[in-house]
Amino acid sequence: MSTAAESIIRQDIGEVWNSSGSLDIIDEIVAEDFVFYDPMGFAEIRGPDEYRKFAERFRAAFANMGTEIEEIIAKDDRVAARVTMRATHEGEFIGIEPTNREVELKGIVIEHIEDGKIKDKYINDDRLTFFAQLGAVEPPDELITSH
């Protein structure tokens, strides 16, 4: 069963984080006092205008961006989604010159919905693999796993 919160995260991911989508949806789904907590090193992003600027910068750096929802869980006014973004690095991104490499970024997005709009958004994703794909860090020779 789809909830209102699930519908809003699907609009956010489907429109804002896909090259074929429209950033105009931001005004409809993002609250004025919105806060986006992103550990990528950016300052907290506040309000729809800063969120739009962030998305514009990301889209300028990554062409053909497509973000797919792999799994979604919604409860009351909170929704979590496991997502995968795929794109081509064709523009400067936080000081990293374009590589024209295909990249993939997997992560978890959690949104809190209040009065039909996104009040806050948290993201946690696989930055090490992402930056290794961009050539910004050397990937480890071996990964340590435990079972």
Side-chain angles (χ1 to χ4, degrees):
M1 175 189 307
S2 180
T3 67
E6 181 180 336
S7 174
I8 291 168
I9 198 173
R10 286 185 184 281
Q11 288 179 297
D12 179 27
I13 293 168
E15 292 290 325
V16 177
W17 301 106
N18 280 294
S19 293
S20 61
S22 171
L23 297 179
D24 293 340
I25 194 74
I26 290 172
D27 292 326
E28 296 176 33
I29 64 170
V30 175
E32 286 300 318
D33 58 348
F34 165 82
V35 180
F36 180 18
Y37 302 96
D38 182 5
M40 188 175 273
F42 299 107
E44 288 178 0
I45 296 163
R46 296 185 173 274
D49 291 337
E50 285 185 17
Y51 188 50
R52 180 180 294 98
K53 288 176 188 171
F54 174 73
E56 288 170 347
R57 285 192 313 267
F58 205 88
R59 282 178 166 209
F62 296 97
N64 308 313
M65 183 171 51
T67 304
E68 180 180 345
I69 296 174
E70 308 285 346
E71 182 177 7
I72 194 164
I73 300 168
K75 182 171 177 17
D76 302 325
D77 63 350
R78 300 220 179 253
V79 61
R82 185 170 51 86
V83 298
T84 302
M85 184 276 298
R86 293 177 182 89
T88 306
H89 180 218
E90 292 186 358
E92 184 272 333
F93 176 67
I94 62 171
I96 303 168
E97 292 301 317
T99 62
N100 295 313
R101 294 179 182 169
E102 299 293 319
V103 295
E104 180 177 275
L105 179 61
K106 293 179 177 274
I108 304 290
V109 176
I110 300 171
E111 294 184 353
H112 173 222
I113 310 301
E114 190 174 281
D115 297 325
K117 294 193 174 196
I118 305 167
K119 171 83 170 168
D120 52 48
K121 176 175 185 158
Y122 296 82
I123 189 164
N124 195 340
D125 46 33
D126 183 1
R127 304 290 163 84
L128 178 59
T129 301
F130 183 64
F131 284 115
Q133 292 171 47
L134 295 174
V137 297
E138 209 42 54
D141 290 332
E142 296 179 23
L143 296 177
I144 299 171
T145 60
S146 61
H147 297 263

